[in-house]
Amino acid sequence: MDTIVIRGGAVLDGEVTVSGAKNAALPLLFSTLLTPHRCVVRNVPVLRDIRTAVAVLRHLGARVESTADGHEIRVEAGAVDRSEAPYDLVKTMRASFLVLGPLLARFGRARVSTPGGCAIGARPVDLHLAGLQKMGARIRITEGYVEAEADRLRGAKIVLDMPSVGATQQLMMAASLAEGTTVIENAAREPENVCLAGALERMGARVSGAGTPEITVEGRPELDGADVTVIPDRIEAGTYMVAAAITGGSVVVGGARGDHLDAFTAKLREAGVTVREDPSGVRVSARGTLAAADVKTMPHPGFPTDLQAQFMALMTQAAGTSTITETIFENRFLHAQELVRMGAEIRADGNRAIIRGRAALSGAPVMATDLRASVCLVLAGLAARGTTRVARVYHLDRGYERVEEKLRALGADIRREAGTA
Ligand code: UD1
């Protein structure tokens, strides 16, 4: 596996452009299973997780083509002849579990491996299954597989116990081909779900309320093909905003949607970072000492859990003590121990981490266990004295397109060393 090597100390300056959002592109790609007609998905980021999604679609029998640069993917799921997604594919990427709803709704049956847990927590799929059952699906779990059957799904009123992003997507997709109207209450309000709702509407379903806690979907017997565009990646944008702030730099994050980042931007401002939004993107600059700020992760529009690790890296450099409370995942402070190895002063206790700021970070060999933790270590490396080597870059490649190239263009001293294994 490759290693990312960073020599810290450079002040970042310049412009970086955000890619399409991985977490929006994945459900859009899986939604193409709802129709036999051709779909085009534009502004797709070139990432390992997208390659996995394409492998899943091909495994199911879909024809998938992409443009030479990889940013546009065309899917025709007319020839899909299987409704089974095996463990080998689902275990590499949890989001593959999203094929369950579309396959069940279109073919009346589906057999999909359960995704299992991952480094950041147990991550069950009970809300996905309970919602589908409400729509009339018969579900059995045998030997690690979910087997679902329904002659035709029926619209239903579903109240989610918590606003799960994935369950909301799963149920919106299934409801688009169900008979009648589905109402999802306590739905996740993330921009990626609004993007999916727009795609389902283009395919012919009627979706209202996306972006609010109550989503209504009027199903159709069949759906059309659609031409859809992935929204900019707000998590990637937030990561480059931290990169600017942690190096005391000044960066324009081109294409970032300020309105998708309100809670995060508010915390950066509280920390003394200047953030200006304009139609072309977000300008971030940090001069002088950063201030400590407390953060609690929440479902959208709250502070995103996917930017928690990056914010923790930033807080190691702020004056004073900050507290980070993680409410979405139970085990998402794995990066804290690695930051401590670089000299940070962090005490993690349950779902709360206390960070004593202005630690002098020094480069070290570190290793990450998940995607956002990996990038947090890269950010810390930018601010550290000496050389930081981030191993297991596999995680980074799942979610950040050309990260070292983009950071280098901003003036970072960063390179990739090809691994031998
Ligand atoms: C998505 C994102 C992930 C992000 C997360 C929260 C994708 C591909 N991934 O993951 O990057 O960190 O949203 O913003 O879009 N839960 C249940 N039962 C369920 C489903 C979820 O208990 O059936 C729990 C989870 O364990 C977790 C919480 O709900 O504690 C939130 O999970 P969810 O919103 O579903 O996250 P994902 O869709 O998996």
Side-chain angles (χ1 to χ4, degrees):
M1 258 185 247
D2 296 355
T3 301
I4 295 275
V5 183
I6 307 137
R7 277 230 324 262
V11 173
L12 299 196
D13 182 37
E15 178 159 359
V16 61
T17 304
V18 284
S19 300
K22 165 179 92 73
N23 287 354
L26 293 172
L28 290 190
L29 287 170
F30 293 134
S31 74
T32 64
L33 291 168
L34 289 162
T35 173
H37 303 292
R38 198 170 94 121
C39 294
V40 181
V41 186
R42 299 177 194 270
N43 197 32
V44 177
V46 177
L47 298 171
R48 189 184 286 261
D49 272 8
I50 298 296
R51 287 203 295 277
T52 306
V54 168
V56 171
L57 291 171
R58 287 200 173 124
H59 168 86
L60 293 167
R63 278 188 34 202
V64 188
E65 288 165 13
S66 54
T67 46
D69 65 5
H71 293 305
E72 185 182 313
I73 296 185
R74 300 177 198 125
V75 187
E76 207 181 287
V80 166
D81 54 2
R82 292 184 199 211
S83 48
E84 176 164 330
Y87 177 63
D88 282 353
L89 286 172
V90 181
K91 77 163 189 233
T92 50
M93 184 179 71
R94 291 179 46 81
S96 319
F97 190 70
L98 289 177
V99 302
L100 179 69
L103 290 175
L104 173 65
R106 184 161 150 220
F107 299 107
R109 65 175 298 274
R111 186 167 185 271
V112 177
S113 169
T114 52
C118 65
I120 62 172
R123 300 183 84 176
V125 289
D126 54 323
L127 302 175
H128 301 231
L129 302 184
L132 293 172
Q133 277 171 325
K134 270 247 160 165
M135 297 172 78
R138 296 178 295 280
I139 289 180
R140 282 197 323 152
I141 300 180
T142 48
E143 294 160 5
Y145 278 77
V146 174
E147 290 181 0
E149 273 181 10
D151 299 329
R152 168 116 195 255
L153 293 175
R154 296 183 309 271
K157 178 177 160 179
I158 299 161
V159 184
L160 295 179
D161 286 351
M162 63 175 93
S164 155
V165 174
T168 303
Q169 294 169 350
Q170 184 85 275
L171 298 171
M172 282 200 300
M173 290 192 281
S176 300
L177 273 182
E179 190 177 346
T181 301
T182 299
V183 178
I184 308 169
E185 285 185 16
N186 199 24
R189 299 163 63 183
E190 271 67 0
E192 292 74 19
N193 289 8
V194 178
C195 182
L196 174 63
L200 296 173
E201 281 203 285
R202 278 169 181 255
M203 295 166 93
R206 287 236 178 92
V207 186
S208 59
T212 78
E214 184 176 303
I215 300 177
T216 303
V217 184
E218 270 179 52
R220 290 279 174 271
E222 284 176 7
L223 293 174
D224 282 334
D227 187 325
V228 296
T229 301
V230 176
I231 55 172
D233 195 318
R234 64 194 165 101
I235 306 302
E236 189 198 18
T239 302
Y240 289 117
M241 289 163 77
V242 172
I246 204 168
T247 62
S250 177
V251 169
V252 177
V253 186
R257 292 261 312 253
D259 58 328
H260 290 172
L261 283 156
D262 286 335
F264 175 71
T265 300
K267 284 295 164 185
L268 280 186
R269 288 188 174 132
E270 201 179 314
V273 179
T274 305
V275 183
R276 285 204 197 90
E277 293 166 27
D278 65 42
S280 66
V282 176
R283 288 161 194 275
V284 183
S285 57
R287 297 272 179 263
T289 312
L290 295 166
D294 295 335
V295 154
K296 188 176 188 179
T297 63
M298 295 293 272
H300 194 77
F303 189 99
T305 175
D306 285 351
L307 284 170
Q308 179 257 106
Q310 297 89 320
F311 200 80
M312 188 182 289
L314 185 66
M315 286 299 97
T316 66
Q317 299 306 296
T321 300
S322 54
T323 304
I324 297 186
T325 310
E326 170 60 53
T327 74
I328 310 292
F329 293 109
E330 69 263 34
N331 192 22
R332 208 174 196 181
F333 285 145
L334 297 164
H335 44 281
Q337 299 150 24
E338 296 296 289
L339 289 172
V340 167
R341 296 190 51 242
M342 295 177 71
E345 283 188 51
I346 304 172
R347 200 155 46 82
D349 184 13
N351 73 341
R352 230 160 64 109
I354 296 165
I355 302 117
R356 284 249 309 270
R358 302 208 75 183
L361 297 182
S362 51
V366 286
M367 193 172 75
T369 39
D370 77 71
L371 169 57
R372 309 304 169 185
S374 291
V375 87
C376 138
L377 299 174
V378 171
L379 293 169
L382 293 174
R385 189 175 317 152
T387 302
T388 298
R389 301 175 62 88
V390 184
R392 289 214 196 164
V393 172
Y394 164 83
H395 291 289
L396 207 57
D397 292 338
R398 288 188 44 208
Y400 286 90
E401 185 172 320
R402 296 182 289 110
V403 63
E404 69 273 21
E405 213 178 289
K406 289 188 183 188
L407 285 171
R408 204 162 39 235
L410 294 173
D413 183 344
I414 180 169
R415 64 192 161 83
R416 176 182 290 255
E417 265 178 17
T420 44

